[in-house]
Amino acid sequence: MSGQDKNDESVKSAVKQASIEVATPKRTKEIIAKYGFSFKKSLGQNFLIDQNILNNIVAAAELDETKGALEIGPGIGALTQRLAQAAGKVTAVEIDNRLIPILKDVLSEEAHTTVIHGDVLKIDLKQLFAEQFADVSGVSVVANLPYYVTTPILMKLLEEKLPLEHIVVMIQKEVAERMAAKPGGKEYGSLSVAVQYYCVPKVVCMVPHTVFIPQPNVDSAVIKLSLREKPAVDVPDEDHFFRVVQASFAQRRKTLANNLTAFVGKERREALTEMLLKNDIDPIRRGETLSLEEFARISRSMLEAGWGSQSVSS
Ligand code: SAM
């Protein structure tokens, strides 16, 4: 970098630092008052007012000027502003049309930042990626998610197999713990398996409910999901694998043999017990003790036995 370039860079960063941080109690209250904004609980609107938490979120996302960030639910732009400073391209999808003019105003200084008005659950994300992120070397989702739709949003991101590097999101603490849970505990369930099939999860930090306006009733956590290059286990039919997992957790107090008998039909109970034993899986174990590899073995064996078409009965 030449001396002139370095000078330009430091001027740019000084300008960036000069743009007023949204994530302080004072500034957030000012913006809300200026626009007469009223919070909609039904949209999970709890705005972050803590700089340290923002630092943790942005650092975990491993962004630089060659990377893109997709933010879901920018609110009044507290995180968006930080992402714009860390990434080469930021696109934020916000459902509440009352926030769009506020975001335009708050983010007016930020280059390469696009706000899209829409419901992330309805948007064609493949098309959005093609339109917004053609020029970046990798994309991560970074968001303080609305809690009422956390799981549907994450499952949409994972199931659509978008070319993502990381998903760094603030979610309800208990949901983060379930996503990162290992076999053997009561937090481990079909959500843990689904997330760990696609990603390596890591809880980044716990977040008290006091760092939001308004304060939610629950505590939160930031979780980082790093997308695997290929799924954690090899299964011939993903849909069947996930139905086996769901069936195994259908009634948590029941044994695997009982839950899976309900799945494959009573007439196959004996054959099922034999198949589990052949796979070194004790039929009296509970679903919550099985690893992803063990669920995969069961799914593979069921398909080999031609038991692939059952639906989950619960
Ligand atoms: N990112 C901001 C922050 O950290 O202060 C706001 C986070 S707030 C927890 C969640 C945001 O998601 C709100 O702005 C809400 O309007 C928006 N939202 C809720 N449901 C949405 C959906 N289906 N699609 C896009 N945005 C949504």
Side-chain angles (χ1 to χ4, degrees), residues 42-49 54 71-80 93-96 99 118-121 143-149 153 170 212:
S42 62
L43 291 180
Q45 292 179 336
N46 304 98
F47 297 163
L48 191 55
I49 49 163
L54 279 174
E71 187 186 0
I72 296 162
I76 56 169
L79 176 59
T80 329
V93 179
E94 173 56 59
I95 198 170
D96 188 344
L99 290 167
D119 178 345
V120 75
L121 290 174
N144 168 14
L145 287 180
Y147 293 167
Y148 77 108
V149 276
I153 291 175
M170 171 122 64
F212 300 92

Side-chain angles (χ1 to χ4, degrees), residues 9-55:
E9 281 304 309
S10 58
V11 171
K12 260 196 237 161
S13 88
V15 170
K16 278 178 180 172
Q17 276 161 21
S19 63
I20 308 162
E21 289 278 2
V22 172
T24 64
K26 182 168 176 275
R27 183 72 184 131
T28 296
K29 282 178 195 154
E30 275 170 12
I31 293 173
I32 287 161
K34 178 174 169 192
Y35 292 90
F37 181 78
S38 54
F39 291 93
K40 274 197 187 153
K41 209 175 171 191
S42 62
L43 291 180
Q45 292 179 336
N46 304 98
F47 297 163
L48 191 55
I49 49 163
D50 187 288
Q51 307 287 316
N52 287 331
I53 306 292
L54 279 174
N55 291 342

Side-chain angles (χ1 to χ4, degrees), residues 53-312:
I53 306 292
L54 279 174
N55 291 342
N56 285 340
I57 296 174
V58 176
E62 297 179 46
L63 298 166
D64 62 41
E65 65 280 8
T66 70
K67 307 281 185 192
L70 170 65
E71 187 186 0
I72 296 162
I76 56 169
L79 176 59
T80 329
Q81 187 182 47
R82 290 296 196 87
L83 294 173
Q85 291 160 17
K89 166 78 189 160
V90 179
T91 299
V93 179
E94 173 56 59
I95 198 170
D96 188 344
N97 62 353
R98 300 170 308 151
L99 290 167
I100 305 301
I102 306 182
L103 285 163
K104 291 234 160 87
D105 193 0
V106 168
L107 302 170
S108 60
E109 306 275 302
E110 312 297 349
H112 51 252
T113 301
T114 308
V115 174
I116 294 175
H117 175 219
D119 178 345
V120 75
L121 290 174
K122 295 192 181 141
I123 274 182
D124 180 340
L125 287 175
K126 288 222 165 84
Q127 194 185 334
L128 181 144
F129 267 60
E131 287 168 4
Q132 300 289 319
F133 297 121
D135 300 329
V136 295
S137 67
V139 182
S140 292
V141 168
V142 193
N144 168 14
L145 287 180
Y147 293 167
Y148 77 108
V149 276
T150 299
T151 307
I153 291 175
L154 287 175
M155 290 324 293
K156 175 172 172 162
L157 294 173
L158 297 175
E159 283 168 4
E160 290 197 5
K161 302 197 167 32
L162 297 163
L164 287 170
E165 291 188 333
H166 309 286
I167 299 175
V168 179
V169 281
M170 171 122 64
I171 58 179
Q172 196 178 326
K173 179 174 153 260
E174 289 74 16
V175 181
E177 284 167 350
R178 278 165 48 207
M179 287 180 178
K182 295 281 170 229
K186 65 177 180 1
E187 281 89 17
Y188 184 70
S190 48
L191 182 65
S192 329
V193 176
V195 165
Q196 292 169 34
Y197 176 78
Y198 296 108
C199 313
V200 178
K202 182 175 181 266
V203 175
V204 174
C205 62
M206 295 296 169
V207 182
H209 65 278
T210 49
V211 299
F212 300 92
I213 294 181
Q215 293 186 9
N217 298 328
V218 293
D219 285 333
S220 309
V222 177
I223 191 165
K224 176 177 184 174
L225 308 175
S226 300
L227 275 284
R228 297 178 189 274
E229 270 176 29
K230 59 183 186 57
V233 288
D234 194 17
V235 288
D237 178 345
E238 271 182 8
D239 186 54
H240 183 262
F241 169 73
F242 286 120
R243 284 192 292 131
V244 167
V245 172
Q246 255 181 284
S248 305
F249 288 108
Q251 296 203 37
R252 294 187 68 105
R253 291 162 64 88
K254 281 195 175 177
T255 63
L256 195 59
N258 282 344
N259 272 329
L260 289 180
T261 299
F263 180 57
V264 296
K266 270 197 204 107
E267 67 287 0
R268 292 186 177 134
R269 186 176 179 101
E270 240 171 74
L272 172 77
T273 306
E274 219 170 275
M275 181 274 274
L276 290 171
L277 289 170
K278 243 194 219 161
N279 276 298
D280 285 333
I281 298 168
D282 189 335
I284 65 162
R285 281 171 64 185
R286 301 236 158 84
E288 68 196 34
T289 68
L290 266 71
S291 66
L292 269 70
E293 181 47 44
E294 289 174 316
F295 283 121
R297 288 211 299 264
I298 296 174
S299 171
R300 282 196 290 265
S301 296
M302 280 189 185
L303 291 172
E304 276 163 24
W307 304 345
S309 56
Q310 292 79 16
S311 58
V312 179

